[in-house]
């Protein structure tokens, strides 16, 4: 028994400390040489902390004029034709005598100025309906004959179609205009109490009334500038002068193109100014470029 105990004691000593299972309270075994070196480097190396990202705020100092005021949005340059202001001055000079047909036979001169306001406005609209595809002299003659019969909504509705046709002949498309005049007069009597509408949208909804007529009616009858009235003269001259960014094919295209750049305070005079200019100088066929002050400024004249 003593010999067995001696052998077990000798075996435990040969294994050395920590060779057997560790119990509670026992000291841990010392680390090996490589592990000790790694632990030493780890304990002496600084701990890297993740830095929090910060937002950079930059403030710009405004000029003295901007301080205390709201900044205005940048204005996009608007296209405008070259030399248009000088061209307009020249046209005004050529039209200074006011002796074109439109100056004394146009819509402004076709209604009875002594009639009640409602009747005057109706006569303005009727003269515009007659003027489509018709020279001012012919329109003025038709209006004189109608006024001699008493030109009101009621009198037109009481006039048979054949008689009305004779009174307005030879205006262009007179048969169609007889129908449109009767239909429009009925609508005015039923919906507007014999007066005419006071908006472009309602005016163009009437039979035989187009955009040019509507804008002129707003200007002459109601004293409101709602847009540029573009007829064949204005359409032709605007394209010849280069007043449209690109060539336009219709009067409505020309109106939209002009209204994009032409100052609104000039809209009221453009129709009468260019119509008279087209009647006397810038003719549809064989324009009188030699007598035009804009000969050197007109793109169309350079090509002739």
């Amino acid at each position: 028994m003593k010999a067995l105990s001696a052998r077990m004691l000798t075996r435990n000593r040969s294994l050395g400390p920590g060779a057997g299972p560790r119990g509670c309270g026992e000291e841990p075994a010392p680390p090996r040489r490589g592990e000790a070196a790694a632990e030493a480097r780890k304990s002496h190396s600084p701990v890297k902390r993740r830095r929090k990202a910060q937002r950079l705020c930059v403030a710009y100092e405004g000029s003295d004029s901007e301080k205390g005021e709201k900044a205005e949005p940048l204005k996009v340059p608007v296209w405008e034709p070259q030399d248009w202001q000088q061209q307009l001055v020249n046209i005004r000079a050529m039209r200074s005598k006011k002796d074109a047909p439109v100056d004394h036979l146009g819509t402004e001169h076709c209604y009875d100025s002594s009639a009640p306001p409602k009747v005057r406005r109706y006569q303005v609209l009727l003269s515009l309906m007659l003027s489509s595809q018709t020279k001012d002299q012919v329109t003025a003659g038709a209006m004189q004959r109608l006024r001699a019969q008493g030109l009101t909504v009621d009198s037109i509705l009481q006039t048979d179609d054949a008689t009305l046709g004779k009174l307005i002949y030879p205006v262009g498309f007179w048969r169609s205009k007889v129908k449109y005049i009767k239909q429009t007069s009925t609508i005015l009597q039923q919906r507007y109490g014999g007066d005419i509408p006071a908006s472009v949208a309602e005016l163009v909804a009437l039979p035989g009334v187009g955009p040019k007529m509507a804008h002129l009616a707003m200007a002459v009858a109601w004293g409101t500038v709602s847009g540029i009235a573009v007829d064949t003269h204005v359409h032709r001259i605007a394209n010849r002068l280069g007043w449209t960014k690109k060539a336009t094919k219709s009067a409505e295209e020309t109106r939209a193109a002009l209204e994009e750049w032409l100052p609104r305070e000039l809209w009221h005079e453009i129709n009468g100014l260019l119509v008279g200019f087209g009647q006397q100088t810038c003719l549809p066929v064989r324009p009188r470029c030699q007598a035009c002050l804009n000969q050197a400024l007109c793109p169309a004249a350079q090509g002739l």
Side-chain angles (χ1 to χ4, degrees), residues 18-227:
R22 292 164 57 184
C24 289
E26 294 183 351
E27 295 182 0
R32 297 177 183 177
R33 182 181 298 178
E35 293 177 354
E39 287 292 333
R41 285 196 302 268
K42 186 174 180 181
S43 61
H44 289 287
S45 62
V47 178
K48 294 184 179 180
R49 296 182 179 180
R50 188 174 182 181
R51 299 182 66 181
K52 186 177 180 182
Q54 296 181 351
R55 293 184 179 180
L56 181 63
C57 298
V58 180
Y60 296 92
E61 184 177 357
S63 61
D64 294 338
S65 60
E66 292 177 342
K67 292 179 179 179
E69 298 180 2
K70 292 183 179 180
E72 295 183 359
L74 293 176
K75 294 182 179 179
V76 179
V78 178
W79 175 89
E80 61 180 32
Q82 186 178 5
D83 300 321
W84 73 269
Q85 291 176 315
Q86 186 59 51
Q87 290 171 338
L88 183 61
V89 169
N90 291 341
I91 294 173
R92 285 172 177 160
M94 290 183 281
R95 293 277 290 114
S96 59
K97 293 182 179 179
K98 300 288 184 182
D99 53 358
V102 70
D103 296 318
H104 52 89
L105 297 173
T107 301
E108 296 90 340
H109 308 280
C110 287
Y111 63 87
D112 183 3
S113 57
S114 63
K118 187 187 299 186
V119 175
R120 290 202 304 266
R121 290 190 287 267
Y122 174 68
Q123 292 182 0
V124 167
L125 181 61
L126 224 62
S127 70
L128 289 168
M129 294 176 70
L130 293 174
S131 69
S132 176
Q133 303 295 315
T134 306
K135 292 184 177 181
D136 288 334
Q137 298 91 324
V138 177
T139 301
M143 285 296 295
Q144 286 180 348
R145 293 189 293 274
L146 289 171
R147 285 170 53 187
Q149 303 293 317
L151 184 51
T152 63
V153 171
D154 292 335
S155 67
I156 288 295
L157 292 176
Q158 293 170 7
T159 303
D160 60 82
D161 291 0
T163 302
L164 182 57
K166 291 178 181 179
L167 290 171
I168 68 173
Y169 180 85
V171 300
F173 304 99
W174 63 272
R175 289 185 179 87
S176 296
K177 289 178 181 178
V178 167
K179 179 179 66 176
Y180 293 148
I181 289 172
K182 282 295 190 72
Q183 291 174 345
T184 292
S185 298
T186 300
I187 293 172
L188 297 181
Q189 186 186 59
Q190 294 176 350
R191 300 182 187 176
Y192 299 96
D195 208 341
I196 71 172
S199 72
V200 171
E202 291 176 291
L203 284 166
V204 296
L206 298 172
V209 178
K212 180 209 77 173
M213 304 176 203
H215 288 299
L216 281 175
M218 291 297 296
V220 179
W222 293 108
T224 301
V225 179
S226 57

